[in-house]
Amino acid sequence: MIYTKDNPSQEYIKLINDYKVIHKKGTAGQNPSETYNGKATINFAEIIRKIIIKNNCVNLLDYGSGKGDRYFNSSERRDGKSFPPLKDYWKIQPTFFDPGVPYPKPTNSVFDIVLCIDVLEHIPYQDLGWVLNEIFEFSKKIVFINVACYKSNATLLNGKNAHVSLFDPWWWSGYIEAIASKYEKKVFLVCTYIESETDKTHKFFSYSINVDLKEYS
């Protein structure tokens, strides 16, 4: 069976319904306001700002945004650095899409930059193809993706781990590049991984398509 945005898998539909509940009830010991509120985006605040400025981006789609609170509230990162609301820090107009919140999917719209941060690992493998194609179709210029390559602290309503698509960084880079080859877009991919279960320190694997990462260092 080939699944599409008009015919997603039953697992995808079930997950959407689960996330509607999780957003209201919380998960992994977090209260609802802390659950999927976009805090992972703060890890990439500086590099995304550079991308926006260098490419003259004026509008943005956050695909799988969660609640999107970080765009409207100040944030402090784990390293102690503070940031103003992202819409001010980036000086850009954001649009959100997240069916679990829910924020409805934009229609007949394209955006200078599309962000997809800590989302793809929550998508069933059989739906990854159409989801990624949709992300690229929403973008005029740039796609920025971060994907987690480790188990989540959060669980679904059935008790299974929330990260349903777990692959290593090289798998993700190859899979995404195969889809990106159909589009003339600048692509930034950051895979977050841990080297062992005993050392939970996050490591980052960066990969780019149609752009030199050194320009943004």
Side-chain angles (χ1 to χ4, degrees):
M1 173 70 75
I2 297 177
Y3 296 104
T4 68
K5 61 184 178 182
D6 297 317
N7 181 38
S9 72
Q10 287 300 309
E11 184 180 357
Y12 178 90
I13 294 170
K14 175 66 167 58
L15 282 171
I16 295 303
N17 291 327
D18 280 4
Y19 280 115
K20 288 178 180 178
V21 174
I22 290 169
H23 268 285
K24 291 179 179 179
K25 293 188 174 182
T27 187
Q30 297 176 322
N31 64 45
S33 66
E34 297 172 323
T35 298
Y36 299 130
N37 67 0
K39 58 184 176 291
T41 306
I42 296 299
N43 293 326
F44 310 103
E46 295 105 327
I47 183 63
I48 292 173
R49 185 172 185 267
K50 288 180 182 179
I51 294 169
I52 287 170
I53 293 171
K54 192 174 183 66
N55 294 277
N56 300 311
C57 298
V58 298
N59 55 23
L60 171 154
L61 173 65
D62 194 325
Y63 188 105
S65 60
K67 295 182 175 72
D69 294 352
R70 308 279 56 83
Y71 286 88
F72 306 105
N73 299 302
S74 299
S75 304
E76 183 173 331
R77 204 162 55 191
R78 289 182 180 180
D79 62 6
K81 185 168 183 177
S82 298
F83 295 88
L86 289 178
K87 69 179 182 62
D88 300 325
Y89 181 61
W90 292 341
K91 294 181 172 60
I92 199 166
Q93 180 60 44
T95 296
F96 306 126
F97 166 58
D98 194 307
V101 176
Y103 288 123
K105 187 177 295 182
T107 57
N108 301 318
S109 300
V110 290
F111 303 85
D112 289 333
I113 180 170
V114 178
L115 308 183
C116 182
I117 296 176
D118 273 16
V119 174
L120 295 179
E121 65 271 21
H122 296 270
I123 305 296
Y125 170 75
Q126 63 269 25
D127 294 276
L128 284 173
W130 71 258
V131 168
L132 277 162
N133 274 290
E134 184 169 67
I135 288 168
F136 278 91
E137 288 164 2
F138 272 124
S139 171
K140 287 183 191 175
K141 301 179 182 180
I142 296 162
V143 172
F144 183 98
I145 294 172
N146 168 247
V147 59
C149 303
Y150 54 87
K151 288 184 178 180
S152 174
N153 292 327
T155 56
L156 301 169
L157 300 186
N158 61 9
K160 292 184 178 180
N161 195 268
H163 291 177
V164 298
S165 285
L166 276 179
F167 303 102
D168 64 47
W170 285 110
W171 186 93
W172 282 110
S173 62
Y175 191 89
I176 291 171
E177 183 165 16
I179 291 175
S181 65
K182 299 184 293 183
Y183 304 89
E184 295 181 0
K185 309 288 167 63
K186 293 179 181 179
V187 182
F188 298 82
L189 169 64
V190 182
C191 293
T192 309
Y193 67 98
I194 56 175
E195 291 186 333
S196 71
E197 289 299 319
T198 55
D199 179 7
K200 298 290 188 179
T201 303
H202 285 178
K203 309 288 186 179
F204 299 99
F205 169 90
S206 300
Y207 188 83
S208 63
I209 303 168
N210 297 326
V211 63
D212 185 350
L213 283 175
K214 293 179 182 177
E215 297 178 13
Y216 299 86
S217 61

